[in-house]
């Protein structure tokens, strides 16, 4: 959580500095294409409240967006992102301790409503559809590790997840710094079997973008 607080503080300081220096080129009514990259800080929880101990992990996020103004104060921002999520967990079995690191690669497609009260600050919120494309599990028992890699073709709709994301952007001319909070509305039920972990992804995202 200290790292998340540091990211929030960095973004807020950038916003205050930009405002104080008058670096506010008003681009709210301009159509923009942009590229972004950043990090996810993700975890999972069991959607039915059963005990499942998991720890968060970091992952990469990168992609493109289109900022479409409706008027000076509102707009729509669709995005297409490669997004890594997952979790870490550990425990004990009869043979000793074990560890698991799961990394899930998604194509995230958020459709965000943008509220632009000022030239340098934008509020964003909206639904997101996520397509699971790869899952990598790294098992360890203290002496060795095993990697299991799965590639998905998304024929099973249970692997495609509806979610929600919200946050804000700080705009400094053509540069954008953004923070998001995101969570799944549907379960990430893997192969859809009754024995699969019924978990939902939840993650924080910090990104840096350039808009053209």
């Amino acid at each position: 959580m200290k790292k998340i607080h540091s990211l929030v503080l960095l973004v807020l300081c950038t916003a205050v500095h930009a405002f104080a220096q008058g670096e506010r080129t008003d681009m709210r009514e301009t159509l923009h294409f942009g590229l972004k990259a950043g990090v996810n800080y993700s975890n999972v929880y069991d959607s039915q409240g059963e005990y499942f101990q998991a720890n968060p992990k970091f992952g990469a996020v990168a992609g493109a967006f289109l900022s479409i103004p409706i008027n000076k104060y509102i707009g729509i921002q669709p995005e297409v992102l490669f997004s890594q999520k997952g979790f870490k967990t550990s425990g004990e079995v009869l043979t000793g301790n074990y560890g698991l690191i799961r990394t899930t690669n998604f194509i995230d497609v958020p459709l965000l409503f943008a509220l632009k009260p000022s030239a340098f600050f934008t509020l964003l919120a909206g639904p997101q559809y996520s397509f699971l494309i790869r899952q990598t599990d790294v098992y360890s028992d203290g002496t060795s590790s095993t990697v299991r890699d799965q590639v998905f073709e998304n024929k099973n709709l249970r692997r495609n997840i509806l979610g929600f994301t919200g946050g804000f952007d700080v705009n400094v001319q053509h540069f954008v710094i953004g923070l998001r909070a995101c969570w799944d509305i549907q379960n990430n039920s893997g192969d859809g079997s009754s024995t699969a972990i019924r978990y939902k992804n939840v993650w924080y995202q910090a990104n840096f973008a350039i808009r053209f």
Side-chain angles (χ1 to χ4, degrees):
M1 290 301 296
K2 290 183 179 179
K3 294 180 180 179
I4 298 299
H5 293 159
S6 297
L7 288 172
V8 173
L9 182 61
L10 175 63
V11 172
L12 291 177
C13 289
T14 302
V16 172
H17 176 75
F19 186 80
Q21 297 299 319
E23 298 177 341
R24 293 184 299 158
T25 301
D26 198 335
M27 304 167 71
R28 286 178 286 178
E29 296 183 272
T30 306
L31 177 70
H32 293 289
F33 169 78
L35 299 174
K36 63 171 55 181
V39 294
N40 288 335
Y41 188 65
S42 65
N43 205 345
V44 296
Y45 64 96
D46 188 287
S47 62
Q48 295 187 16
E50 294 186 6
Y51 180 78
F52 177 64
Q53 181 64 40
N55 296 312
K57 69 180 294 292
F58 284 98
V61 60
F65 64 94
L66 188 64
S67 180
I68 306 170
I70 296 175
N71 58 38
K72 186 175 182 178
Y73 298 102
I74 61 174
I76 299 172
Q77 183 166 303
E79 302 181 354
V80 178
L81 307 171
F82 169 80
S83 183
Q84 288 184 324
K85 305 163 194 174
F87 62 91
K88 299 186 291 185
T89 188
S90 60
E92 295 182 2
V93 292
L94 295 177
T95 57
N97 298 327
Y98 74 91
L100 167 64
I101 300 176
R102 171 166 292 177
T103 302
T104 48
N105 294 344
F106 285 88
I107 298 298
D108 288 344
V109 185
L111 179 60
L112 304 174
F113 175 78
L115 179 63
K116 301 172 283 187
S118 72
F120 81 106
F121 189 78
T122 305
L123 293 169
L124 298 134
Q128 172 175 288
Y129 205 63
S130 300
F131 301 85
L132 178 61
I133 56 176
R134 182 182 292 269
Q135 177 177 295
T136 302
D137 292 332
V138 179
Y139 300 91
S140 61
D141 59 10
T143 58
S144 62
S145 61
T146 303
V147 178
R148 183 188 178 194
D149 202 23
Q150 300 180 72
V151 178
F152 301 101
E153 297 180 357
N154 288 287
K155 294 180 180 179
N156 185 343
L157 291 179
R158 291 173 185 253
R159 298 191 182 108
N160 303 325
I161 307 167
L162 178 65
F164 187 85
T165 181
F168 64 89
D169 284 347
V170 175
N171 312 301
V172 184
Q173 297 182 3
H174 289 278
F175 301 100
V176 181
I177 299 174
L179 286 179
R180 306 276 191 276
C182 319
W183 57 94
D184 291 342
I185 297 174
Q186 294 176 305
N187 294 345
N188 184 352
S189 52
D191 60 4
S193 69
S194 60
T195 58
I197 299 172
R198 302 176 303 271
Y199 64 78
K200 294 183 179 181
N201 295 295
V202 56
W203 66 103
Y204 299 100
Q205 183 181 111
N207 59 71
F208 176 79
I210 301 176
R211 53 184 182 175
F212 306 95

